[in-house]
Amino acid sequence: MLRDGGLVAFPTETVYGLGANALDARAAARIFEAKARPSFDPLITHLADTADLERLVGPVPAAVAALAGRFWPGPLTLIVDRPVEIPPIVTSGLDTMAVRVPDEPSARALIRAAGVPVAAPSANRFGQLSPTRAEHVVQGLGAAVDVVLDGGATRCGIESTIVDARGPQPVVLRLGALALEDLVAAVGPVSVRPGSSGQPVAPGTLAAHYAPRTPLRVVSGVEPPPGDGRRRGFLAFREAPAGGYAAVEVLSPGGDVTEAAARLFDALHRLDAAGVTEIHAEPAPEQGVGRAINDRLRRAAATWSAPD
Ligand code: TXA
Ligand code: MG
């Protein structure tokens, strides 16, 4: 199916990807069409094995090779020069390419069997919640996908960390499933591009993304909802609020950010289906993958905050 230019959704350790042959411009175009994704938003190319990187792109900077060697297969996406074999549509015309080796045996077996690099964004419509189960893909994309491989719930539940390590100091372009702390332990200081941490950016300028259909608001802690009779949902990090919410999801009763990340999008999908008028979301502790959880919550909330 991939070799014939089809679209195959498949599980990775992070979220489900919507895959197409990365060497085939027409197949890549179908990804943008199926997701209603703007053509300026480049795709990630997935490889079966770390050794395939140099086979595809030739020699890479030492820091890039070191990160690949340390964290692949795994939830780290690296920026490299785009090889001529990869059509510009995959990288939205950039002369760089995002690439990773997923840590999910079935995904790597799929890519290996296809015998081509696989371009795959998250398998959701543009701007909406990322899929962490095959059902989410079917609900969101339906007939636009040729095949959905069902591998159950994904392990990490949040997208890969994107790092540009071509310069003197690595730059984190997107917070994700590989914790900042683990990255720093391996390579020393990194900088985080403003906007990917969510903090240094003025309200309203955040990219609206990763959003449920229901308006979402980040609240500072567990607080009762206003008693105006409207049905609201609550996304709790550790502990359910005492009462007043029509639907509640608790991400990690044990207070574990990794477990919370794995459940985040599934919980938001359920709250979105619970018939509530608003979702209140409590942030995670700002540590490890908790940073990526908070990044996604801020972006989801940005969709719904009225511009002032
Ligand atoms: O965990 C993941 O990364 C998942 C799974 C399927 O691998 N994929 C994923 O893809 O999250 P997507 O398309 O939803 O997000 C990819 C992001 C884009 O938003 C884009 O901004 C960034 O990667 N990106 C792609 N190519 C880039 C490049 N050459 N330079 C900078 N950023 C790039
Ligand atoms: Mg995405």
Side-chain angles (χ1 to χ4, degrees):
M1 191 73 73
L2 286 169
R3 281 196 297 258
D4 286 348
L7 294 186
V8 177
F10 62 96
T12 77
E13 80 280 33
T14 59
V15 301
Y16 277 72
L18 179 61
N21 179 358
L23 304 176
D24 179 346
R26 195 184 292 249
R30 288 192 60 201
I31 293 180
F32 287 93
E33 204 180 314
K35 284 185 57 106
R37 181 181 178 110
S39 59
F40 56 77
D41 195 5
L43 308 177
I44 297 175
T45 296
H46 295 67
L47 304 175
D49 291 286
T50 305
D52 294 339
L53 178 65
E54 295 218 342
R55 268 181 223 132
L56 180 64
V57 308
V60 296
V64 175
L67 279 170
R70 171 74 180 77
F71 291 112
W72 283 0
L76 172 67
T77 294
L78 294 166
I79 305 297
V80 297
D81 290 338
R82 176 176 62 84
V84 286
E85 291 84 352
I86 299 290
I89 185 172
V90 170
T91 65
S92 299
L94 295 175
D95 49 22
T96 58
M97 175 178 80
V99 61
R100 81 182 190 98
V101 176
D103 183 19
E104 162 56 48
S106 67
R108 295 173 63 205
L110 170 73
I111 300 164
R112 208 174 285 128
V116 294
V118 172
S122 53
N124 52 281
R125 286 183 71 82
F126 182 71
Q128 296 185 356
L129 292 173
S130 295
T132 58
R133 294 178 179 277
E135 296 90 308
H136 299 158
V137 181
V138 174
Q139 283 156 17
L141 295 175
V145 192
D146 296 310
V147 177
V148 181
L149 298 179
D150 187 350
T154 61
R155 178 165 57 80
C156 301
I158 208 157
E159 297 83 352
S160 61
T161 302
I162 305 180
V163 176
D164 184 353
R166 296 170 304 144
Q169 175 168 291
V171 183
V172 176
L173 302 179
R174 177 176 73 183
L175 295 167
L178 178 67
L180 210 50
E181 290 86 339
D182 294 340
L183 199 58
V184 170
V187 297
V190 300
S191 56
V192 178
R193 190 177 66 172
S196 47
S197 75
Q199 274 150 356
V201 175
T205 62
L206 278 174
H209 227 120
Y210 309 106
R213 286 181 300 267
T214 313
L216 180 141
R217 190 153 72 78
V218 180
V219 296
S220 55
V222 179
E223 51 185 55
D228 57 6
R230 291 175 68 194
R231 285 168 54 83
R232 290 183 176 80
F234 194 86
L235 180 73
F237 175 67
R238 185 172 193 157
E239 211 177 316
Y245 285 94
V248 173
E249 293 284 338
V250 178
L251 291 179
S252 175
D256 173 18
V257 287
T258 304
E259 180 188 38
R263 293 184 176 173
L264 174 68
F265 285 123
D266 200 27
L268 284 172
H269 277 284
R270 276 196 300 269
L271 287 173
D272 216 10
V276 295
T277 57
E278 191 181 33
I279 299 167
H280 289 181
E282 176 192 16
E286 189 69 14
Q287 66 188 48
V289 186
R291 295 175 208 275
I293 295 175
N294 294 339
D295 170 76
R296 302 303 187 269
L297 291 177
R298 286 187 208 101
R299 287 171 201 267
T303 307
W304 300 111
S305 38
D308 24 44

